[in-house]
Amino acid sequence: MTQTIEAAQVPEDSRSVRPAPSPRVHRVHRAWFVAAVTFVTIIGAAAFRSLPGLLIDPLHEEFHWSRGTIGAAVSINLALYGLTAPFAAALMDRFGIRRVVAVALTVIAVGSGLTVWMTQAWQLMLCWGLLVGLGSGSMALAFAATVTNRWFTERKGLVTGILTAASASGQLIFLPLLSWIVTEHDWRPAAVTVALAALAVVPFVWLLLRDHPADVGQAPYGATEFVPKPEPVRGAARRALTVLFSAVRTGPFWLLAGSFAICGASTNGLVQTHFVPAAHDHGMPVTAAASLLAVIGVFDVVGTVASGWFTDRFEPRRLLAVYYALRGISLLFLPMLLAPSVHPPMVFFIVFYGLDWVATVPPTLALCREQYGEDSAIVFGWVLASHQVGAALVAFLGGAARDRFGSYDMVWYASGALCAAAALMVLVIRRRRPAVPARAAAVSPAPA
């Protein structure tokens, strides 16, 4: 006790001569581990996105369903993928990221697994369209947006690009494998592989993912102050609809939704769904066409991460305009490049298109944050819904056009023209001015 009192009475100058403490060990912020788990989760769930384009020809040959009918099932999947996203973002606010994602992965596994017993087209629409669509919608980009908004205040563009690229990384992993399984062992083992891949990720989500930095006693990455965990938000569906009704009264929402619908039409709906059968129409083996899609996934990772880096430094409107314009130009040339074998011009297209595949996501999400603030994740969910509605329309119309005209040429040309329209749409989005602080407004001189 005496020593403690004496130590407390030591003058400040005397205490300052004590040896300096050892240097602090800088640990990696927990946010990066959460981002890594999210990345792995999206990769594992990406298997279901790799399969639809590989199923069109096998299902057509086995069940004699038209390509338009199969495309309709893919359309339901893509539409629900988008329409579920804003509600999923609100459900994550209510029940937590971990629970929502674990349930979504389980639904994907059930829907994919049940397809091996189907015999009717309506069963394909129920299993692959409804169940996998609902599950995948809860695993949509709103998941990445929610993780980024909660765990990061800095490097948001970079993290968004990395998490967006995870889906392309999964495509890179699964496309060659699934195409080989479909070619060598039929499509049913491929569907089972998708189900097992989704189930394999569930333990990682449940054990390693955390809902909020406050759960581990940390501030978000880059934050200077601790951020307490908000109370669960009840009425998830009501909140999602309320945010939508508020957003639709603004012009930027329609411009973002319209341009992103064209983005979905020219990627998921067109290339991801119809590139393999279109290449097969020109005599290219399915495995070769699927490998080209996988290469798109390689460069998609590079392009999306680079786009996130650019979004932190450059005007997102101009970035989007450049991305859409370049994509439209590349699609106009594609009908001339399809051939029985892979040649250098086709490789150039694959690289060029891959760099632009989902490079649009980081600047689009940045514009949502700029325009809608705290509601940006849910607004982005609705913008993503428009992305998937555009994809769903082209997934169906592309198959119907192939049935009607015997080729996909008209679809490629129309998509190129739509991309030009999207470039113009994003350029007219007005920049939102930051609100004037109340204190500054109080001291500003009154108008004469």
Side-chain angles (χ1 to χ4, degrees):
M1 178 67 110
T2 305
Q3 292 176 352
T4 304
I5 297 174
E6 290 176 353
Q9 295 174 347
V10 174
E12 189 71 23
D13 293 340
S14 300
R15 278 181 280 174
S16 63
V17 300
R18 291 181 179 178
S22 58
R24 294 179 62 185
V25 178
H26 294 282
R27 297 180 179 178
V28 177
H29 195 282
R30 181 65 178 265
W32 294 109
F33 290 103
V34 172
V37 174
T38 305
F39 186 88
V40 172
T41 302
I42 296 174
I43 285 179
F48 65 83
R49 298 187 63 191
S50 304
L51 194 56
L54 303 177
L55 291 182
I56 292 178
D57 285 339
L59 294 179
H60 175 70
E61 293 172 2
E62 178 174 339
F63 298 107
H64 305 291
W65 299 334
S66 70
R67 290 177 176 83
T69 299
I70 300 169
V74 178
S75 295
I76 295 172
N77 178 294
L78 293 172
L80 288 176
Y81 177 92
L83 294 173
T84 306
F87 296 98
L91 285 172
M92 290 177 188
D93 289 340
R94 173 67 179 89
F95 298 104
I97 299 173
R98 183 171 58 170
R99 293 178 181 177
V100 173
V101 173
V103 171
L105 288 168
T106 304
V107 172
I108 291 170
V110 171
S112 181
L114 289 176
T115 59
V116 300
W117 290 289
M118 69 182 179
T119 57
Q120 302 293 326
W122 68 265
Q123 295 168 342
L124 174 66
M125 295 181 185
L126 174 64
C127 296
W128 194 261
L130 180 64
L131 292 179
V132 177
L134 288 173
S136 60
S138 301
M139 286 286 302
L141 290 173
F143 172 38
T146 303
V147 169
T148 303
N149 287 344
R150 290 188 183 184
W151 283 88
F152 293 86
T153 58
E154 294 181 354
R155 304 289 189 271
K156 283 188 175 182
L158 177 63
V159 175
T160 301
I162 292 173
L163 295 182
T164 304
S167 181
S169 300
Q171 179 175 291
L172 166 65
I173 294 170
F174 287 106
L175 258 176
L177 173 63
L178 293 177
S179 65
W180 177 82
I181 293 175
V182 169
T183 302
E184 299 295 329
H185 302 285
D186 196 22
W187 61 270
R188 288 179 177 82
V192 173
T193 301
V194 171
L196 294 177
L199 284 178
V201 183
V202 173
F204 290 94
V205 171
W206 194 255
L207 297 175
L208 301 177
L209 193 63
R210 292 295 178 268
D211 294 330
H212 196 276
D215 291 340
V216 293
Q218 287 188 323
Y221 178 82
T224 57
E225 297 180 356
F226 180 79
V227 178
K229 184 176 181 179
E231 293 293 327
V233 180
R234 298 183 182 277
R238 186 185 307 111
R239 185 186 175 205
L241 293 174
T242 301
V243 171
L244 172 64
F245 293 149
S246 176
V248 296
R249 297 187 180 96
T250 64
F253 175 81
W254 293 105
L255 293 170
L256 287 168
S259 60
F260 219 42
I262 294 173
C263 177
S266 57
T267 53
N268 300 76
L270 181 61
V271 174
Q272 189 168 34
T273 304
H274 295 292
F275 178 81
V276 172
H280 191 55
D281 284 346
H282 288 76
M284 184 180 295
V286 171
T287 51
S291 297
L292 288 177
L293 271 185
V295 174
I296 286 179
V298 175
F299 289 95
D300 181 18
V301 174
V302 177
T304 308
V305 174
S307 178
W309 187 86
F310 289 143
T311 302
D312 287 332
R313 290 160 175 80
F314 299 104
E315 172 59 47
R317 295 161 189 76
R318 296 180 181 179
L319 288 175
L320 281 175
V322 171
Y323 295 158
Y324 285 127
L326 293 177
R327 181 185 299 175
I329 293 171
S330 66
L331 287 173
L332 293 176
F333 282 96
L334 182 57
M336 296 178 284
L337 302 178
L338 292 170
S341 60
V342 180
H343 48 86
M346 173 58 78
V347 174
F348 178 80
F349 166 82
I350 293 297
V351 173
F352 187 87
Y353 190 85
L355 291 172
D356 200 344
W357 178 270
V358 285
T360 55
V361 172
T364 300
L365 183 52
L367 289 176
C368 287
R369 292 195 194 102
E370 176 189 304
Q371 298 288 332
Y372 302 104
E374 294 181 355
D375 292 330
S376 61
I378 296 178
V379 172
F380 180 72
W382 285 112
V383 172
L384 178 62
S386 70
H387 179 282
Q388 295 306 116
V389 169
L393 287 174
V394 173
F396 168 70
L397 293 175
R402 170 62 178 80
D403 290 334
R404 176 68 178 82
F405 301 107
S407 75
Y408 288 98
D409 290 357
M410 182 176 294
V411 185
W412 304 123
Y413 295 137
S415 296
L418 286 174
C419 288
L424 295 176
M425 292 170 68
V426 296
L427 284 176
V428 301
I429 297 175
R430 293 185 178 182
R431 190 167 188 174
R432 184 174 183 179
R433 297 179 180 179
V436 179
R439 183 177 178 183
V443 299
S444 61

